[in-house]
């Protein structure tokens, strides 16, 4: 189990299907099948709740009923149903994916019950499936905030939503994911996830590493947040300009999972209230127009294979409020456009299928 403050995103448990029931040789009776173990996605539940409710982390289904004179066909054993959070991926201990539970009500069979005894088995039942599985939580949000520590992600989340993340003037204030919702006047809501800050080498599990990156996978879009003055983690690390910061963030996403780069992305250039902010922004915009011309600023292994083309670039200040409303509008417009595009593609596929059936 991985625990960050009051947040758990990984749990390892033992599951076992029920043993089948005994057959009845004299009359050819068949024993009941053993019960199955199911994970069921439910709202308002988290992995801490699961751990507290089942401290031994063992889930065993019921044994199938034996065949008898009164009931030649034995009843199936009782299934074991375990409530788990929405957004869970279930894998074997070897890392093989069993399935995902992405919405409330989704069900996943994780351990099958054994067969009841019958003629072909000499009326002896089989044992249920037994294994250790991992529950891996990946947050589901519309927008995921991406940035190095102290870029102002937590401050931004508190400005655009009702979330109250920890905010301080030191690098790692976010050590567990925070979720907030942007509320619009027409009651539209957009969920935003503020995730622990990346550092160089996150893809190989430095800093928050995979604990952060895996949560990015299920966000619909990315919101990069960079400090207009640049970033330096400590006196022992190199200072990075805003442009270098963007390239390094892109590289970390690429090394973890290339598909992350295909997500729509918006860039928020934060801390525009600081001295020389306008000059730094002007330089950044020039570099983003022709990024290849500035690749020499970084070592070759730090340069991403492809750069992210931001749908919008918004200059903001979480201190003064500059650009916050414009950013909220951009986020909504971008998600609405993506949703319309998905709907168009869905209807086109449906039309193509219908046309193919008519031929």
């Amino acid at each position: 189990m991985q625990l960050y403050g009051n947040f758990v995103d990984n749990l390892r448990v033992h599951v076992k299907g029920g043993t089948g029931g005994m057959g009845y040789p004299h009359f050819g009776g068949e024993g009941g099948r053993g019960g199955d173990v199911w994970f069921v996605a439910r709202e308002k539940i988290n992995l801490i709740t699961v751990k507290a409710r089942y401290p031994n982390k063992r889930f065993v289904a019921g044994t199938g009923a034996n065949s008898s004179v009164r009931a030649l066909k034995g009843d199936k054993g009782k299934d074991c149903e375990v409530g788990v959070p929405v957004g869970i991926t279930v894998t074997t201990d070897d890392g093989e994916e069993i399935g995902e539970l992405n919405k409330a009500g989704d069900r996943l069979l994780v351990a099958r019950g054994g067969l009841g005894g019958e003629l072909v088995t000499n009326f002896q039942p089989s044992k249920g499936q037994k294994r250790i599985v991992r529950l891996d939580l990946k947050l589901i949000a519309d927008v995921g905030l991406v940035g190095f520590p102290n870029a102002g992600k937590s401050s931004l989340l508190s400005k655009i939503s009702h979330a109250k993340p920890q905010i301080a003037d030191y690098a790692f204030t976010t050590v567990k994911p925070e979720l907030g919702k942007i509320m619009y006047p027409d009651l539209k809501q957009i969920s935003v996830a503020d995730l622990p800050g990346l550092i160089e080498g996150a893809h190989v599990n430095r800093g928050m590493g995979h604990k952060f990156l895996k949560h990015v996978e299920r966000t619909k879009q990315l919101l990069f947040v960079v400090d207009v003055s640049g970033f330096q983690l400590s006196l022992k690390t190199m200072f990075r300009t805003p442009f270098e910061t963007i390239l390094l963030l892109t590289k970390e996403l690429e090394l973890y999972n290339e598909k992350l780069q295909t997500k729509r992305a918006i860039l928020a250039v934060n801390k525009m209230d600081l001295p020389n902010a306008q000059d730094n922004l002007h330089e950044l915009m020039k570099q983003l127009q022709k990024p290849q011309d500035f690749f020499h600023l970084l070592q070759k292994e730090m340069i991403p294979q492809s750069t992210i083309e931001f749908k919008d670039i918004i200059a903001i200040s979480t201190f003064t409020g500059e650009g916050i409303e414009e950013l909220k509008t951009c986020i909504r417009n971008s998600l609405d456009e993506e949703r319309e595009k998905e709907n168009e593609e869905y209807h086109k596929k449906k039309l193509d299928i219908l046309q193919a059936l008519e031929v």
Side-chain angles (χ1 to χ4, degrees), residues 98-136:
I98 299 170
E100 295 184 342
L101 297 156
N102 292 326
K103 62 181 186 299
D106 280 358
R107 296 167 60 84
L108 183 65
L109 178 62
V110 292
R112 195 178 295 277
L115 296 174
E118 55 184 337
L119 181 63
V120 294
T121 65
N122 198 26
F123 301 98
Q124 295 300 310
S126 60
K127 292 181 179 180
Q129 185 180 16
K130 179 173 70 172
R131 56 184 172 178
I132 291 171
V133 299
R134 293 179 180 272
L135 287 78
D136 197 32

mmCIF file of all heavy atoms in Angstrom, residues 98-136:
data_model
loop_
_atom_site.group_PDB
_atom_site.id
_atom_site.type_symbol
_atom_site.label_atom_id
_atom_site.label_comp_id
_atom_site.label_asym_id
_atom_site.label_seq_id
_atom_site.Cartn_x
_atom_site.Cartn_y
_atom_site.Cartn_z
ATOM 1 N N ILE A 98 -5.843 -7.037 -15.468
ATOM 2 C CA ILE A 98 -7.064 -7.847 -15.449
ATOM 3 C C ILE A 98 -8.229 -7.031 -16.003
ATOM 4 O O ILE A 98 -9.072 -7.536 -16.729
ATOM 5 C CB ILE A 98 -7.370 -8.325 -14.017
ATOM 6 C CG1 ILE A 98 -6.220 -9.196 -13.493
ATOM 7 C CG2 ILE A 98 -8.684 -9.090 -13.962
ATOM 8 C CD1 ILE A 98 -6.322 -9.516 -12.009
ATOM 9 N N GLY A 99 -8.261 -5.753 -15.669
ATOM 10 C CA GLY A 99 -9.332 -4.892 -16.163
ATOM 11 C C GLY A 99 -9.368 -3.564 -15.439
ATOM 12 O O GLY A 99 -8.584 -3.305 -14.514
ATOM 13 N N GLU A 100 -10.302 -2.700 -15.857
ATOM 14 C CA GLU A 100 -10.456 -1.369 -15.276
ATOM 15 C C GLU A 100 -11.895 -1.150 -14.834
ATOM 16 O O GLU A 100 -12.824 -1.756 -15.379
ATOM 17 C CB GLU A 100 -10.072 -0.291 -16.300
ATOM 18 C CG GLU A 100 -8.609 -0.305 -16.704
ATOM 19 C CD GLU A 100 -8.269 0.841 -17.646
ATOM 20 O OE1 GLU A 100 -9.203 1.425 -18.237
ATOM 21 O OE2 GLU A 100 -7.071 1.166 -17.782
ATOM 22 N N LEU A 101 -12.063 -0.280 -13.862
ATOM 23 C CA LEU A 101 -13.386 0.100 -13.367
ATOM 24 C C LEU A 101 -13.460 1.625 -13.432
ATOM 25 O O LEU A 101 -12.953 2.316 -12.548
ATOM 26 C CB LEU A 101 -13.573 -0.409 -11.936
ATOM 27 C CG LEU A 101 -13.540 -1.936 -11.791
ATOM 28 C CD1 LEU A 101 -13.139 -2.333 -10.381
ATOM 29 C CD2 LEU A 101 -14.879 -2.543 -12.137
ATOM 30 N N ASN A 102 -14.073 2.130 -14.498
ATOM 31 C CA ASN A 102 -14.004 3.563 -14.777
ATOM 32 C C ASN A 102 -15.258 4.352 -14.431
ATOM 33 O O ASN A 102 -15.243 5.581 -14.467
ATOM 34 C CB ASN A 102 -13.659 3.789 -16.250
ATOM 35 C CG ASN A 102 -12.244 3.354 -16.565
ATOM 36 O OD1 ASN A 102 -11.354 3.480 -15.733
ATOM 37 N ND2 ASN A 102 -12.031 2.811 -17.756
ATOM 38 N N LYS A 103 -16.352 3.647 -14.121
ATOM 39 C CA LYS A 103 -17.567 4.377 -13.720
ATOM 40 C C LYS A 103 -18.329 3.570 -12.673
ATOM 41 O O LYS A 103 -18.180 2.340 -12.584
ATOM 42 C CB LYS A 103 -18.453 4.678 -14.923
ATOM 43 C CG LYS A 103 -18.988 3.490 -15.676
ATOM 44 C CD LYS A 103 -19.843 3.935 -16.856
ATOM 45 C CE LYS A 103 -20.522 2.758 -17.542
ATOM 46 N NZ LYS A 103 -19.602 1.783 -18.085
ATOM 47 N N ALA A 104 -19.124 4.274 -11.885
ATOM 48 C CA ALA A 104 -19.867 3.611 -10.814
ATOM 49 C C ALA A 104 -20.742 2.504 -11.390
ATOM 50 O O ALA A 104 -21.413 2.683 -12.405
ATOM 51 C CB ALA A 104 -20.732 4.636 -10.076
ATOM 52 N N GLY A 105 -20.699 1.347 -10.741
ATOM 53 C CA GLY A 105 -21.497 0.208 -11.204
ATOM 54 C C GLY A 105 -20.710 -0.790 -12.029
ATOM 55 O O GLY A 105 -21.150 -1.927 -12.232
ATOM 56 N N ASP A 106 -19.538 -0.381 -12.540
ATOM 57 C CA ASP A 106 -18.701 -1.322 -13.299
ATOM 58 C C ASP A 106 -18.317 -2.498 -12.400
ATOM 59 O O ASP A 106 -18.023 -2.324 -11.210
ATOM 60 C CB ASP A 106 -17.417 -0.634 -13.793
ATOM 61 C CG ASP A 106 -17.649 0.208 -15.039
ATOM 62 O OD1 ASP A 106 -18.792 0.219 -15.530
ATOM 63 O OD2 ASP A 106 -16.693 0.846 -15.510
ATOM 64 N N ARG A 107 -18.297 -3.706 -12.987
ATOM 65 C CA ARG A 107 -17.965 -4.922 -12.239
ATOM 66 C C ARG A 107 -16.807 -5.635 -12.919
ATOM 67 O O ARG A 107 -16.701 -5.640 -14.144
ATOM 68 C CB ARG A 107 -19.172 -5.866 -12.187
ATOM 69 C CG ARG A 107 -20.362 -5.312 -11.427
ATOM 70 C CD ARG A 107 -21.611 -6.156 -11.682
ATOM 71 N NE ARG A 107 -21.442 -7.535 -11.268
ATOM 72 C CZ ARG A 107 -21.613 -7.985 -10.027
ATOM 73 N NH1 ARG A 107 -21.976 -7.145 -9.073
ATOM 74 N NH2 ARG A 107 -21.441 -9.259 -9.736
ATOM 75 N N LEU A 108 -15.942 -6.233 -12.121
ATOM 76 C CA LEU A 108 -14.799 -6.962 -12.667
ATOM 77 C C LEU A 108 -14.608 -8.260 -11.898
ATOM 78 O O LEU A 108 -14.470 -8.262 -10.675
ATOM 79 C CB LEU A 108 -13.529 -6.108 -12.567
ATOM 80 C CG LEU A 108 -12.252 -6.716 -13.168
ATOM 81 C CD1 LEU A 108 -12.383 -6.882 -14.674
ATOM 82 C CD2 LEU A 108 -11.045 -5.841 -12.842
ATOM 83 N N LEU A 109 -14.599 -9.390 -12.629
ATOM 84 C CA LEU A 109 -14.366 -10.699 -12.029
ATOM 85 C C LEU A 109 -12.867 -10.873 -11.802
ATOM 86 O O LEU A 109 -12.075 -10.827 -12.737
ATOM 87 C CB LEU A 109 -14.885 -11.794 -12.972
ATOM 88 C CG LEU A 109 -14.680 -13.249 -12.537
ATOM 89 C CD1 LEU A 109 -15.419 -13.540 -11.241
ATOM 90 C CD2 LEU A 109 -15.136 -14.200 -13.647
ATOM 91 N N VAL A 110 -12.461 -11.074 -10.551
ATOM 92 C CA VAL A 110 -11.029 -11.158 -10.242
ATOM 93 C C VAL A 110 -10.596 -12.549 -9.774
ATOM 94 O O VAL A 110 -9.414 -12.867 -9.779
ATOM 95 C CB VAL A 110 -10.612 -10.097 -9.194
ATOM 96 C CG1 VAL A 110 -10.711 -8.701 -9.783
ATOM 97 C CG2 VAL A 110 -11.448 -10.207 -7.924
ATOM 98 N N ALA A 111 -11.561 -13.388 -9.365
ATOM 99 C CA ALA A 111 -11.235 -14.771 -8.980
ATOM 100 C C ALA A 111 -12.469 -15.643 -9.219
ATOM 101 O O ALA A 111 -13.527 -15.402 -8.636
ATOM 102 C CB ALA A 111 -10.799 -14.853 -7.522
ATOM 103 N N ARG A 112 -12.299 -16.626 -10.082
ATOM 104 C CA ARG A 112 -13.424 -17.485 -10.462
ATOM 105 C C ARG A 112 -13.528 -18.675 -9.502
ATOM 106 O O ARG A 112 -12.529 -19.236 -9.074
ATOM 107 C CB ARG A 112 -13.209 -17.982 -11.893
ATOM 108 C CG ARG A 112 -14.434 -18.591 -12.545
ATOM 109 C CD ARG A 112 -14.124 -19.005 -13.969
ATOM 110 N NE ARG A 112 -13.811 -17.890 -14.824
ATOM 111 C CZ ARG A 112 -14.733 -17.128 -15.421
ATOM 112 N NH1 ARG A 112 -16.014 -17.387 -15.238
ATOM 113 N NH2 ARG A 112 -14.357 -16.136 -16.199
ATOM 114 N N GLY A 113 -14.776 -19.076 -9.192
ATOM 115 C CA GLY A 113 -15.006 -20.218 -8.314
ATOM 116 C C GLY A 113 -14.689 -21.536 -9.001
ATOM 117 O O GLY A 113 -14.733 -21.641 -10.237
ATOM 118 N N GLY A 114 -14.362 -22.554 -8.207
ATOM 119 C CA GLY A 114 -14.059 -23.872 -8.756
ATOM 120 C C GLY A 114 -15.309 -24.608 -9.203
ATOM 121 O O GLY A 114 -16.425 -24.311 -8.741
ATOM 122 N N LEU A 115 -15.140 -25.584 -10.081
ATOM 123 C CA LEU A 115 -16.267 -26.376 -10.563
ATOM 124 C C LEU A 115 -16.684 -27.406 -9.529
ATOM 125 O O LEU A 115 -15.863 -27.906 -8.750
ATOM 126 C CB LEU A 115 -15.890 -27.088 -11.866
ATOM 127 C CG LEU A 115 -15.576 -26.182 -13.065
ATOM 128 C CD1 LEU A 115 -15.089 -27.021 -14.244
ATOM 129 C CD2 LEU A 115 -16.803 -25.369 -13.462
ATOM 130 N N GLY A 116 -17.969 -27.738 -9.533
ATOM 131 C CA GLY A 116 -18.467 -28.753 -8.627
ATOM 132 C C GLY A 116 -18.077 -30.149 -9.109
ATOM 133 O O GLY A 116 -17.786 -30.360 -10.293
ATOM 134 N N GLY A 117 -18.055 -31.089 -8.188
ATOM 135 C CA GLY A 117 -17.714 -32.454 -8.552
ATOM 136 C C GLY A 117 -18.768 -33.075 -9.464
ATOM 137 O O GLY A 117 -19.969 -32.876 -9.260
ATOM 138 N N GLU A 118 -18.333 -33.844 -10.471
ATOM 139 C CA GLU A 118 -19.252 -34.506 -11.403
ATOM 140 C C GLU A 118 -18.602 -35.788 -11.903
ATOM 141 O O GLU A 118 -17.478 -36.136 -11.497
ATOM 142 C CB GLU A 118 -19.606 -33.569 -12.568
ATOM 143 C CG GLU A 118 -18.396 -33.034 -13.308
ATOM 144 C CD GLU A 118 -18.797 -32.034 -14.383
ATOM 145 O OE1 GLU A 118 -19.948 -32.066 -14.842
ATOM 146 O OE2 GLU A 118 -17.929 -31.224 -14.771
ATOM 147 N N LEU A 119 -19.290 -36.488 -12.795
ATOM 148 C CA LEU A 119 -18.827 -37.789 -13.252
ATOM 149 C C LEU A 119 -17.410 -37.746 -13.810
ATOM 150 O O LEU A 119 -16.579 -38.583 -13.470
ATOM 151 C CB LEU A 119 -19.801 -38.329 -14.316
ATOM 152 C CG LEU A 119 -19.454 -39.715 -14.892
ATOM 153 C CD1 LEU A 119 -19.493 -40.773 -13.791
ATOM 154 C CD2 LEU A 119 -20.415 -40.068 -16.017
ATOM 155 N N VAL A 120 -17.119 -36.739 -14.660
ATOM 156 C CA VAL A 120 -15.800 -36.687 -15.315
ATOM 157 C C VAL A 120 -14.676 -36.385 -14.335
ATOM 158 O O VAL A 120 -13.500 -36.585 -14.642
ATOM 159 C CB VAL A 120 -15.783 -35.651 -16.477
ATOM 160 C CG1 VAL A 120 -16.698 -36.072 -17.595
ATOM 161 C CG2 VAL A 120 -16.136 -34.254 -15.973
ATOM 162 N N THR A 121 -14.998 -35.886 -13.174
ATOM 163 C CA THR A 121 -13.959 -35.591 -12.169
ATOM 164 C C THR A 121 -14.024 -36.587 -11.008
ATOM 165 O O THR A 121 -13.479 -36.318 -9.934
ATOM 166 C CB THR A 121 -14.109 -34.155 -11.621
ATOM 167 O OG1 THR A 121 -15.363 -34.060 -10.912
ATOM 168 C CG2 THR A 121 -14.044 -33.129 -12.717
ATOM 169 N N ASN A 122 -14.748 -37.692 -11.247
ATOM 170 C CA ASN A 122 -14.939 -38.691 -10.196
ATOM 171 C C ASN A 122 -15.634 -38.074 -8.984
ATOM 172 O O ASN A 122 -15.380 -38.437 -7.836
ATOM 173 C CB ASN A 122 -13.590 -39.314 -9.796
ATOM 174 C CG ASN A 122 -13.772 -40.633 -9.059
ATOM 175 O OD1 ASN A 122 -14.789 -41.326 -9.245
ATOM 176 N ND2 ASN A 122 -12.806 -40.967 -8.212
ATOM 177 N N PHE A 123 -16.486 -37.079 -9.296
ATOM 178 C CA PHE A 123 -17.330 -36.378 -8.319
ATOM 179 C C PHE A 123 -16.534 -35.555 -7.306
ATOM 180 O O PHE A 123 -17.059 -35.145 -6.272
ATOM 181 C CB PHE A 123 -18.272 -37.371 -7.613
ATOM 182 C CG PHE A 123 -19.158 -38.093 -8.584
ATOM 183 C CD1 PHE A 123 -18.835 -39.373 -9.019
ATOM 184 C CD2 PHE A 123 -20.288 -37.468 -9.085
ATOM 185 C CE1 PHE A 123 -19.641 -40.034 -9.940
ATOM 186 C CE2 PHE A 123 -21.100 -38.127 -10.004
ATOM 187 C CZ PHE A 123 -20.787 -39.398 -10.443
ATOM 188 N N GLN A 124 -15.253 -35.309 -7.625
ATOM 189 C CA GLN A 124 -14.421 -34.464 -6.767
ATOM 190 C C GLN A 124 -14.453 -33.021 -7.299
ATOM 191 O O GLN A 124 -14.288 -32.794 -8.503
ATOM 192 C CB GLN A 124 -12.972 -34.971 -6.745
ATOM 193 C CG GLN A 124 -12.808 -36.350 -6.125
ATOM 194 C CD GLN A 124 -13.275 -36.372 -4.678
ATOM 195 O OE1 GLN A 124 -12.885 -35.518 -3.875
ATOM 196 N NE2 GLN A 124 -14.114 -37.345 -4.345
ATOM 197 N N PRO A 125 -14.652 -32.042 -6.425
ATOM 198 C CA PRO A 125 -14.703 -30.642 -6.876
ATOM 199 C C PRO A 125 -13.309 -30.067 -7.119
ATOM 200 O O PRO A 125 -12.306 -30.645 -6.679
ATOM 201 C CB PRO A 125 -15.368 -29.934 -5.705
ATOM 202 C CG PRO A 125 -14.940 -30.718 -4.505
ATOM 203 C CD PRO A 125 -14.855 -32.162 -4.967
ATOM 204 N N SER A 126 -13.261 -28.938 -7.815
ATOM 205 C CA SER A 126 -11.983 -28.246 -8.002
ATOM 206 C C SER A 126 -11.939 -27.005 -7.111
ATOM 207 O O SER A 126 -12.985 -26.449 -6.738
ATOM 208 C CB SER A 126 -11.782 -27.845 -9.469
ATOM 209 O OG SER A 126 -12.814 -26.981 -9.895
ATOM 210 N N LYS A 127 -10.744 -26.607 -6.789
ATOM 211 C CA LYS A 127 -10.577 -25.409 -5.952
ATOM 212 C C LYS A 127 -10.786 -24.148 -6.782
ATOM 213 O O LYS A 127 -10.615 -24.149 -7.998
ATOM 214 C CB LYS A 127 -9.191 -25.402 -5.319
ATOM 215 C CG LYS A 127 -8.989 -26.499 -4.293
ATOM 216 C CD LYS A 127 -7.608 -26.428 -3.670
ATOM 217 C CE LYS A 127 -7.429 -27.528 -2.618
ATOM 218 N NZ LYS A 127 -6.071 -27.465 -2.002
ATOM 219 N N GLY A 128 -11.131 -23.085 -6.098
ATOM 220 C CA GLY A 128 -11.327 -21.812 -6.780
ATOM 221 C C GLY A 128 -10.000 -21.161 -7.140
ATOM 222 O O GLY A 128 -8.943 -21.508 -6.599
ATOM 223 N N GLN A 129 -10.082 -20.211 -8.066
ATOM 224 C CA GLN A 129 -8.889 -19.469 -8.479
ATOM 225 C C GLN A 129 -8.350 -18.669 -7.297
ATOM 226 O O GLN A 129 -9.106 -18.038 -6.556
ATOM 227 C CB GLN A 129 -9.267 -18.534 -9.644
ATOM 228 C CG GLN A 129 -8.117 -17.793 -10.264
ATOM 229 C CD GLN A 129 -8.600 -16.903 -11.416
ATOM 230 O OE1 GLN A 129 -9.777 -16.620 -11.556
ATOM 231 N NE2 GLN A 129 -7.658 -16.476 -12.241
ATOM 232 N N LYS A 130 -7.047 -18.703 -7.127
ATOM 233 C CA LYS A 130 -6.420 -18.004 -5.989
ATOM 234 C C LYS A 130 -5.255 -17.182 -6.506
ATOM 235 O O LYS A 130 -4.404 -17.691 -7.239
ATOM 236 C CB LYS A 130 -5.938 -19.028 -4.957
ATOM 237 C CG LYS A 130 -5.252 -18.420 -3.739
ATOM 238 C CD LYS A 130 -4.943 -19.474 -2.688
ATOM 239 C CE LYS A 130 -3.848 -20.415 -3.148
ATOM 240 N NZ LYS A 130 -3.396 -21.337 -2.074
ATOM 241 N N ARG A 131 -5.200 -15.908 -6.147
ATOM 242 C CA ARG A 131 -4.077 -15.077 -6.576
ATOM 243 C C ARG A 131 -4.025 -13.775 -5.777
ATOM 244 O O ARG A 131 -4.976 -13.408 -5.084
ATOM 245 C CB ARG A 131 -4.154 -14.767 -8.061
ATOM 246 C CG ARG A 131 -5.447 -14.089 -8.521
ATOM 247 C CD ARG A 131 -5.414 -13.924 -10.015
ATOM 248 N NE ARG A 131 -6.675 -13.462 -10.574
ATOM 249 C CZ ARG A 131 -6.861 -13.216 -11.857
ATOM 250 N NH1 ARG A 131 -5.880 -13.372 -12.717
ATOM 251 N NH2 ARG A 131 -8.044 -12.824 -12.313
ATOM 252 N N ILE A 132 -2.888 -13.099 -5.909
ATOM 253 C CA ILE A 132 -2.728 -11.766 -5.324
ATOM 254 C C ILE A 132 -2.902 -10.751 -6.449
ATOM 255 O O ILE A 132 -2.342 -10.916 -7.540
ATOM 256 C CB ILE A 132 -1.344 -11.618 -4.665
ATOM 257 C CG1 ILE A 132 -1.275 -12.501 -3.413
ATOM 258 C CG2 ILE A 132 -1.058 -10.162 -4.292
ATOM 259 C CD1 ILE A 132 0.096 -12.606 -2.789
ATOM 260 N N VAL A 133 -3.693 -9.732 -6.202
ATOM 261 C CA VAL A 133 -3.927 -8.696 -7.215
ATOM 262 C C VAL A 133 -3.624 -7.325 -6.628
ATOM 263 O O VAL A 133 -3.635 -7.132 -5.411
ATOM 264 C CB VAL A 133 -5.373 -8.738 -7.760
ATOM 265 C CG1 VAL A 133 -5.666 -10.075 -8.424
ATOM 266 C CG2 VAL A 133 -6.393 -8.441 -6.670
ATOM 267 N N ARG A 134 -3.373 -6.397 -7.521
ATOM 268 C CA ARG A 134 -3.094 -5.009 -7.114
ATOM 269 C C ARG A 134 -4.191 -4.086 -7.605
ATOM 270 O O ARG A 134 -4.607 -4.174 -8.765
ATOM 271 C CB ARG A 134 -1.749 -4.549 -7.677
ATOM 272 C CG ARG A 134 -0.560 -5.276 -7.078
ATOM 273 C CD ARG A 134 0.749 -4.795 -7.694
ATOM 274 N NE ARG A 134 1.892 -5.497 -7.129
ATOM 275 C CZ ARG A 134 2.545 -5.101 -6.037
ATOM 276 N NH1 ARG A 134 2.171 -4.017 -5.404
ATOM 277 N NH2 ARG A 134 3.574 -5.796 -5.584
ATOM 278 N N LEU A 135 -4.637 -3.210 -6.736
ATOM 279 C CA LEU A 135 -5.604 -2.178 -7.094
ATOM 280 C C LEU A 135 -4.824 -0.873 -7.241
ATOM 281 O O LEU A 135 -4.218 -0.394 -6.278
ATOM 282 C CB LEU A 135 -6.679 -2.031 -6.014
ATOM 283 C CG LEU A 135 -7.717 -3.149 -5.907
ATOM 284 C CD1 LEU A 135 -7.128 -4.345 -5.200
ATOM 285 C CD2 LEU A 135 -8.940 -2.662 -5.142
ATOM 286 N N ASP A 136 -4.842 -0.335 -8.428
ATOM 287 C CA ASP A 136 -4.063 0.870 -8.722
ATOM 288 C C ASP A 136 -5.014 1.987 -9.110
ATOM 289 O O ASP A 136 -5.718 1.887 -10.114
ATOM 290 C CB ASP A 136 -3.094 0.565 -9.869
ATOM 291 C CG ASP A 136 -1.994 1.596 -9.969
ATOM 292 O OD1 ASP A 136 -1.597 2.140 -8.928
ATOM 293 O OD2 ASP A 136 -1.531 1.860 -11.097
#
